[in-house]
């Protein structure tokens, strides 16, 4: 006979309920988490090299600055302060509560590994997101704290 811990069962049911709520759709598209918005933005700039695609993840004032620089390499250099190639990225840290519905502001640290000037480089960038309606938008790219390793 299978013995199930009731606390684990309740936790599993609660997790399924919360994740079901996270997938509420708007215009047929599931809403993106802060992690997905963050990685989507950096992927658009560093991998796809598509400023227009990246603008969907940012607030209007940041989009306006990005329009000024036109191309992804200029956005990397002037907006993010980090020109890199062959980039892989991951979420290094996120400052958010477990249930997310009580938080409207989130800080995310994205770790990036790739080549800078032809040499291996590991760095991170910290961004702040704000919840507008049912979606998250990047409202600030925080000043860099420095290089992790090189």
């Amino acid at each position: 006979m299978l013995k199930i811990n009731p606390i684990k069962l309740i936790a599993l049911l609660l997790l399924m309920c919360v994740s079901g709520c996270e997938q509420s759709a708007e215009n047929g598209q599931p809403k993106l988490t802060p992690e997905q918005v963050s990685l989507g933005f950096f992927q658009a700039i560093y991998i796809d090299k598509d400023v227009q695609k990246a603008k969907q993840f940012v607030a209007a004032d940041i989009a306006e600055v990005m329009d000024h620089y036109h191309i992804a390499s200029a956005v990397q250099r002037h907006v993010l302060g980090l020109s890199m190639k062959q980039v892989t990225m991951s979420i290094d840290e996120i400052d958010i509560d477990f249930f997310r519905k009580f938080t409207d502001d989130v800080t995310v640290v994205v770790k990036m590994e790739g080549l800078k000037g032809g040499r291996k480089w590991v760095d991170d960038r910290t961004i702040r997101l704000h919840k507008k309606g049912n979606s998250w938008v990047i409202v600030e790219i925080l000043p860099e704290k420095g290089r992790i390793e090189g």
Side-chain angles (χ1 to χ4, degrees), residues 65 68-69 72-83:
V65 172
H68 174 74
Y69 290 107
S73 61
V75 171
Q76 288 179 26
R77 193 171 33 260
H78 299 291
V79 178
L80 298 167
L82 180 63
S83 291

Side-chain angles (χ1 to χ4, degrees), residues 54-85:
K55 286 175 25 181
Q56 69 179 316
F57 300 109
V58 299
D61 58 333
I62 297 174
E64 187 176 320
V65 172
M66 291 170 60
D67 275 339
H68 174 74
Y69 290 107
H70 301 288
I71 60 174
S73 61
V75 171
Q76 288 179 26
R77 193 171 33 260
H78 299 291
V79 178
L80 298 167
L82 180 63
S83 291
M84 290 178 67
K85 295 182 180 187

Side-chain angles (χ1 to χ4, degrees), residues 86-139:
Q86 298 178 10
V87 178
T88 59
M89 60 201 76
S90 61
I91 299 295
D92 192 41
E93 185 179 323
I94 183 165
D95 173 27
I96 192 169
D97 70 77
F98 179 74
F99 291 105
R100 296 176 189 250
K101 61 180 155 186
F102 303 116
T103 302
D104 286 338
D105 283 297
V106 176
T107 302
V108 177
V109 178
V110 177
K111 179 180 177 182
M112 295 183 287
E113 299 179 46
L115 299 176
K116 179 178 179 181
R119 295 166 52 177
K120 287 187 180 181
W121 193 269
V122 178
D123 214 321
D124 64 25
R125 286 297 176 266
T126 304
I127 56 177
R128 193 167 58 86
L129 294 90
H130 186 75
K131 191 173 191 179
K132 293 191 177 188
N134 287 330
S135 55
W136 292 93
V137 64
I138 298 169
V139 294

